[in-house]
Amino acid sequence: MINDNNKAIYEDANTINFREFFEKFAFHWKWFSLGIITMLVLAFLYLRYTPRQYKVSATILVNDKNSGELQSELSAFQDLGIMSDVKSSFNNELGILKSRTLAMQVAKDLKLNISFYRKDFMKVNEVYKDKLPFKIKFLTNDTILNVTSLSFYIHPISETQFLLGNAEEESLGKFTYGETVAMGSIDFIVTPSISGIPISDEHYKVVILPIEFVANQFKNMIKIAPVDEKSSLIDLSIEYGVKQKAEHILNNLVKIYNQNAIIDKSTIAIKTNDFIGERLVVISKDLSLLDKSVEAFKTNNKITDVKTETGIILSSSSEINESIIALNTQLKLVDFVGLYINDNSEDLIPVNLGLSDISFSESTGIYNEILLERKRISKSSSTKNPVLMNLDEQLKNRRASISKSLVNLKSTLNISLQDLKAREKRIDSEIQSAPKQEREFVEMKRQQQIIETLYLYLLEKREENSITLAVTIPNSKIIDSAFGSNMPIFPVPRKVYFLAILIGMGIPFGVIFLIGLFDNKVHTYEDLERELKIPIIGDIPIIKSGERLVFEENERNLYAEAFHLLRTNINFMLAGIKSTSKTIFVTSTISGEGKTFTAINLAASLTLSNKKVLLVGADIRNPKLAAYLNVPLEKGLTHFLMDTELHIESVIQHIKSTNFDMIQSGLNAPNPSALLMNDRFKEVMAYGKKHYDFVIFDTPPVHVVADTLLLSENNADLVIYVVRANYLDKRLLKVPKKMSDEKRLPNMALVINGTAPKNGYGYGYYGYLQDDKSKRPWHRKI
């Protein structure tokens, strides 16, 4: 029945108490506050001195010459492995944009190998050249400057002078703006960029690095990727500390890429223009010689006009002559082109020269496109690239086909020319009667017309080629020029402060959690509830004063209230005992847990409730009652147990300060267990039950000796098991658990001793208790 009444005292140990978990950490709120404040200060310093990083991006549309309606339709089958090379040209453009050659051109154009940094206290930030209060003009040739590694400091000290320092910031002297300064192999001039240059403590560091190193560095920084798989849009982005510089880098990259593409596309027209120019020079000389010959012939032979009668005869001859001129023109062009192909085996072949063979013009155009594509791909690929090897094979076959076409064309033209000359002979026979001078004049005139026609033809082609050269379009279209937000992507203040708060809370949390994880001590009332299903009837706060007796009459403090509550709970536990006298055993697991202290103060508390109490020192191995109550050693329990002639009244002494009777432990006996099993111990219990309301036995610790177990066989009404907080190892709680489970200690109840006052379970909140706020810590006065 008593055990059933006690079930309400404790709850199921398997229940998770979230409030207790929260309070465990809330108790250390000062450390959490300190951690958060410290991390916020560190976060502020981190944001103050960490260089910002900005993201700049641009978008371009690549003019994929191979893309068209058919390509767009077939691209849907790429997932099936069909038309897998639809995007080959687009991928080639991606490779060119990522090439080291293009990055090198951008680095040289923007002089990226020269960087400027502003040093202010502990902060060093890169500054773009347009934001400097001065300008530097390097007099050294770029060939030397691009392979130099050098750094120095410039500190403006007035509107006319500046200090120069080396890489270690050692002063090299004062210099005047506009004065030539020499540092090693580098010469330069510093001039103010604004009138009235501001004077400050800021130092500017100038860093010169090899151009190849810088180009590779920026090549790795720039990210180039298609916007999606089904479009020709390319996204270019870079993350850098100077937004304006990053914008210039991307814009210049696109600009130089387009310039190179225009140059590549104009190569055919340029080669054709050079060919026509060379032929015009030669033909112009030939035409000039013929003009002079005609002039000399007419002067020598006094020829002014062609006779009318020869006009009719010569009309037919004129038509034939025109045909002969046209054929000769074609033959000369064939010879010129054939000679050019043989002398320039790796150059583009001139097109649109007017040759009558259409298949030759088409073959030449295809050959030039293949050759131009090979040159573009070879800029970013090795000669062992399968694509280059395939193009080389196509060029070889196409050149052989073009040479064969020229041979066939020349053969056809010669046959036609022979036929016309045969017809010409028949007409010549009809004009044999014409004067010799006329025939010679006609021959000279014919040669003059042939060369003049070729000359005019080449002039026309040169103009057509110039128009083609002028309208060459770039290889890409800028959709979005380089742009970057003013908000840095790194570090992000909001994220840094949020992370600082998390770390500031996480470090104390982790430390407290680890301390609790490796802490095996019993600390609170709840620790016992989780481990043991034994009623807990008392929670005694820790005594910092070192006093043994804390319970006195009319005392109204925290400790007195704790024993009042213990006394009430004991009466509840003993409510089912019909006997007027109750026997209470006080024990613990190990020595030093405060069982003697608890027994003394419990006896004093019961005495104040008008109860007659006898306190017996049954711990005869380690007696402490006399020392705790500050009374002299006298005859005690061991004397009574050993001396059969001794009456029990002679060992009972009255303690005036507490108004209860006490039997001391007596002398240390050589055989304590044997003495306690003596029948005279039953006489002590019988006497106590007869003459006292409560008999309290201070018994030995159960984990050390078996004396308490022997004594419990004498049917104790209640066993108070004292557990000292912050002292007993939780692993030793298996001892009281075993005692309770095996019913070896009857009617067992727990008292936790030495807890912090704020961990109490009721008495600490009574308003009438003494609580001097002036003695509280500062954080508890609120």
Side-chain angles (χ1 to χ4, degrees):
M1 181 185 67
I2 295 174
N3 290 333
D4 291 340
N5 291 336
N6 293 334
K7 287 182 180 179
I9 299 178
Y10 54 89
E11 59 184 9
D12 189 353
N14 294 326
T15 303
I16 299 175
N17 193 333
F18 292 102
R19 178 177 180 180
E20 177 194 348
F21 181 80
F22 173 77
E23 289 179 348
K24 175 182 178 181
F25 292 97
F27 176 75
H28 301 282
W29 66 269
K30 295 186 293 295
W31 292 109
F32 284 97
S33 301
L34 179 62
I36 292 173
I37 294 173
T38 302
M39 293 309 301
L40 287 176
V41 172
L42 293 177
F44 172 78
L45 296 175
Y46 174 78
L47 293 172
R48 174 69 176 82
Y49 295 108
T50 301
R52 304 291 189 265
Q53 292 289 319
Y54 300 89
K55 183 176 183 179
V56 177
S57 58
T59 306
I60 62 173
L61 173 65
V62 173
N63 298 324
D64 188 358
K65 65 181 181 181
N66 291 328
S67 63
E69 184 177 355
L70 179 63
Q71 296 271 45
S72 299
E73 296 296 332
L74 293 178
S75 63
F77 298 94
Q78 288 186 16
D79 294 338
L80 302 177
I82 304 174
M83 294 298 294
S84 59
D85 60 342
V86 169
K87 281 290 183 179
S88 60
S89 178
F90 177 75
N91 292 333
N92 290 337
E93 299 305 320
L94 278 177
I96 294 171
L97 283 168
K98 296 177 181 178
S99 65
R100 188 179 64 86
T101 303
L102 189 61
M104 183 75 74
Q105 288 179 281
V106 174
K108 289 181 179 179
D109 189 62
L110 293 178
K111 298 187 182 298
L112 297 179
N113 59 320
I114 304 173
S115 302
F116 303 91
Y117 299 86
R118 180 173 57 226
K119 182 178 180 182
D120 181 15
F121 187 49
M122 295 175 59
K123 191 175 182 181
V124 178
N125 286 331
E126 184 176 357
V127 183
Y128 198 43
K129 56 186 177 182
D130 295 343
K131 302 295 183 180
L132 293 173
F134 54 83
K135 294 181 179 180
I136 298 180
K137 180 180 181 181
F138 290 93
L139 306 178
T140 307
N141 190 279
D142 287 345
T143 306
I144 300 175
L145 196 63
N146 289 341
V147 296
T148 301
S149 294
L150 180 67
S151 62
F152 54 89
Y153 284 86
I154 293 178
H155 178 204
I157 57 175
S158 69
E159 295 184 359
T160 58
Q161 288 185 321
F162 64 91
L163 284 176
L164 185 68
N166 57 17
E168 291 75 25
E169 299 189 54
E170 298 174 350
S171 178
L172 300 178
K174 294 181 181 179
F175 294 87
T176 304
Y177 291 114
E179 179 182 353
T180 301
V181 181
M183 288 196 69
S185 59
I186 304 299
D187 296 336
F188 58 90
I189 296 175
V190 180
T191 57
S193 58
I194 55 176
S195 59
I197 185 169
I199 308 304
S200 67
D201 293 332
E202 294 177 342
H203 292 65
Y204 294 88
K205 184 179 182 180
V206 183
V207 178
I208 304 173
L209 296 173
I211 195 73
E212 288 190 3
F213 173 80
V214 176
N216 285 328
Q217 193 177 44
F218 280 101
K219 173 181 175 294
N220 296 329
M221 285 184 185
I222 299 174
K223 298 178 181 178
I224 301 173
V227 174
D228 57 62
E229 295 181 355
K230 296 183 179 181
S231 73
S232 296
L233 290 171
I234 296 179
D235 180 71
L236 300 91
S237 63
I238 183 174
E239 296 177 3
Y240 197 66
V242 182
K243 188 186 73 169
Q244 185 181 1
K245 184 175 182 179
E247 291 175 348
H248 285 186
I249 290 173
L250 290 187
N251 287 332
N252 237 45
L253 181 72
V254 176
K255 173 185 172 183
I256 295 177
Y257 165 74
N258 282 332
Q259 287 177 349
N260 291 344
I262 291 174
I263 292 173
D264 290 339
K265 290 182 177 181
S266 302
T267 303
I268 297 176
I270 293 172
K271 289 292 183 181
T272 303
N273 191 66
D274 294 342
F275 171 77
I276 294 175
E278 293 174 0
R279 302 318 304 167
L280 283 175
V281 172
V282 175
I283 294 173
S284 178
K285 292 179 180 180
D286 293 343
L287 186 60
S288 179
L289 291 174
L290 283 174
D291 289 340
K292 291 180 180 179
S293 299
V294 170
E295 181 183 356
F297 178 81
K298 287 184 175 182
T299 301
N300 294 333
N301 293 283
K302 299 179 180 180
I303 297 176
T304 57
D305 193 9
V306 181
K307 295 180 180 181
T308 304
E309 57 269 19
T310 60
I312 297 173
I313 299 173
L314 294 175
S315 61
S316 298
S317 178
S318 176
E319 294 177 359
I320 294 173
N321 285 337
E322 290 177 0
S323 299
I324 292 174
I325 290 171
L327 290 175
N328 283 326
T329 300
Q330 291 284 320
L331 285 171
K332 285 184 177 291
L333 287 175
V334 170
D335 291 337
F336 291 158
V337 174
L339 181 62
Y340 182 83
I341 291 175
N342 292 332
D343 294 339
N344 301 274
S345 60
E346 295 182 359
D347 281 348
L348 299 169
I349 299 175
V351 297
N352 299 327
L353 296 177
L355 292 176
S356 59
D357 192 349
I358 298 176
S359 63
F360 172 80
S361 299
E362 293 177 352
S363 297
T364 304
I366 295 173
Y367 175 86
N368 286 337
E369 289 182 1
I370 295 174
L371 180 59
L372 186 59
E373 186 68 12
R374 187 206 180 277
K375 289 183 176 181
R376 289 169 59 94
I377 296 176
S378 64
K379 293 180 180 180
S380 57
S381 302
S382 65
T383 56
K384 294 182 179 181
N385 189 325
V387 177
L388 289 179
M389 296 174 68
N390 183 34
L391 293 177
D392 289 339
E393 185 64 26
Q394 293 183 39
L395 290 173
K396 180 180 178 182
N397 296 335
R398 188 65 64 179
R399 181 177 287 275
S401 176
I402 292 172
S403 299
K404 187 175 180 180
S405 296
L406 286 176
V407 172
N408 293 336
L409 179 59
K410 186 174 182 180
S411 177
T412 302
L413 292 175
N414 282 326
I415 292 173
S416 298
L417 183 60
Q418 292 299 326
D419 181 67
L420 287 176
K421 285 185 177 181
R423 292 174 60 190
E424 185 183 37
K425 288 181 180 180
R426 290 195 300 270
I427 293 176
D428 286 344
S429 63
E430 295 176 3
I431 59 173
Q432 288 179 356
S433 57
K436 179 181 179 181
Q437 292 85 357
E438 187 66 24
R439 288 197 304 272
E440 292 177 356
F441 177 76
V442 170
E443 185 68 27
M444 295 175 64
K445 193 67 175 176
R446 180 186 301 159
Q447 294 295 328
Q448 186 182 34
Q449 289 176 354
I450 291 173
I451 295 177
E452 183 179 358
T453 301
L454 181 59
Y455 182 78
L456 294 175
Y457 177 79
L458 290 176
L459 285 176
E460 180 184 353
K461 290 299 177 183
R462 186 172 69 177
E463 290 302 316
E464 293 177 359
N465 192 69
S466 298
I467 294 173
T468 302
L469 189 62
V471 297
T472 303
I473 61 174
N475 211 37
S476 67
K477 177 182 178 181
I478 299 177
I479 303 301
D480 292 321
S481 59
F483 174 78
S485 172
N486 290 326
M487 294 296 296
I489 62 168
F490 177 84
V492 180
R494 182 174 55 186
K495 292 182 179 179
V496 172
Y497 283 123
F498 178 73
L499 185 61
I501 293 174
L502 286 182
I503 296 175
M505 296 179 63
I507 292 176
F509 181 88
V511 172
I512 295 170
F513 179 79
L514 289 176
I515 291 174
L517 185 65
F518 293 102
D519 184 9
N520 292 321
K521 302 296 183 183
V522 176
H523 293 287
T524 63
Y525 179 96
E526 291 77 10
D527 290 340
L528 292 180
E529 284 186 327
R530 280 193 296 269
E531 301 293 336
L532 303 174
K533 292 185 178 181
I534 303 173
I536 303 173
I537 62 173
D539 190 349
I540 302 172
I542 188 171
I543 306 297
K544 296 183 179 180
S545 63
E547 296 180 2
R548 306 299 186 185
L549 182 63
V550 297
F551 194 93
E552 297 178 1
E553 188 174 2
N554 300 323
E555 189 70 36
R556 296 168 61 87
N557 57 27
L558 198 63
Y559 313 106
E561 183 60 27
F563 281 99
H564 276 308
L565 185 59
L566 175 60
R567 181 182 65 193
T568 302
N569 288 335
I570 288 174
N571 291 330
F572 174 74
M573 293 289 293
L574 298 175
I577 305 299
K578 295 181 180 181
S579 174
T580 57
S581 178
K582 280 80 175 179
T583 304
I584 300 174
F585 282 14
V586 181
T587 187
S588 62
T589 304
I590 58 177
S591 178
E593 294 193 70
K595 62 179 181 60
T596 303
F597 166 80
T598 303
I600 293 173
N601 287 277
L602 176 60
S605 175
L606 292 171
T607 301
L608 291 178
S609 62
N610 296 320
K611 300 294 182 180
K612 192 174 182 181
V613 179
L614 174 63
L615 178 60
V616 181
D619 188 0
I620 58 179
R621 296 177 185 270
N622 186 22
K624 294 181 179 179
L625 284 180
Y628 275 33
L629 293 172
N630 197 21
V631 295
L633 291 174
E634 296 181 3
K635 291 181 180 181
L637 182 61
T638 54
H639 295 85
F640 177 76
L641 295 177
M642 290 186 297
D643 188 356
T644 57
E645 301 296 330
L646 192 64
H647 294 286
I648 191 170
E649 290 84 354
S650 62
V651 295
I652 296 175
Q653 82 183 97
H654 183 72
I655 307 299
K656 293 183 179 180
S657 60
T658 57
N659 199 27
F660 60 73
D661 293 341
M662 177 184 71
I663 299 177
Q664 296 188 23
S665 300
L667 299 176
N668 289 334
N671 53 349
S673 298
L675 284 177
L676 293 176
M677 293 176 66
N678 193 326
D679 289 338
R680 286 178 66 81
F681 185 79
K682 294 181 180 180
E683 294 181 20
V684 175
M685 294 189 67
Y687 183 87
K689 284 180 174 288
K690 182 178 180 180
H691 297 87
Y692 295 92
D693 296 319
F694 286 93
V695 183
I696 300 174
F697 289 87
D698 177 21
T699 62
V702 297
H703 189 58
V704 178
V705 293
D707 296 353
T708 302
L709 300 178
L710 296 175
L711 295 177
S712 65
E713 295 178 357
N714 293 291
N715 298 321
D717 296 321
L718 177 65
V719 176
I720 296 178
Y721 200 102
V722 179
V723 176
R724 183 175 176 181
N726 307 313
Y727 182 79
L728 183 65
D729 195 313
K730 289 181 181 178
R731 291 170 291 186
L732 291 178
L733 291 178
K734 63 184 180 181
V735 175
K737 185 176 185 303
K738 182 179 181 181
M739 298 295 173
S740 175
D741 294 342
E742 296 179 358
K743 308 297 183 180
R744 301 184 68 179
L745 294 177
N747 201 14
M748 183 176 172
L750 297 177
V751 171
I752 182 169
N753 178 35
T755 61
K758 64 181 68 178
N759 293 331
Y761 62 97
Y763 52 81
Y765 301 99
Y766 290 130
Y768 61 81
L769 298 182
Q770 296 179 0
D771 189 8
D772 188 356
K773 290 188 177 182
S774 63
K775 298 181 180 180
R776 291 182 182 179
W778 63 270
H779 59 275
R780 294 188 60 200
K781 293 180 181 179
I782 302 174

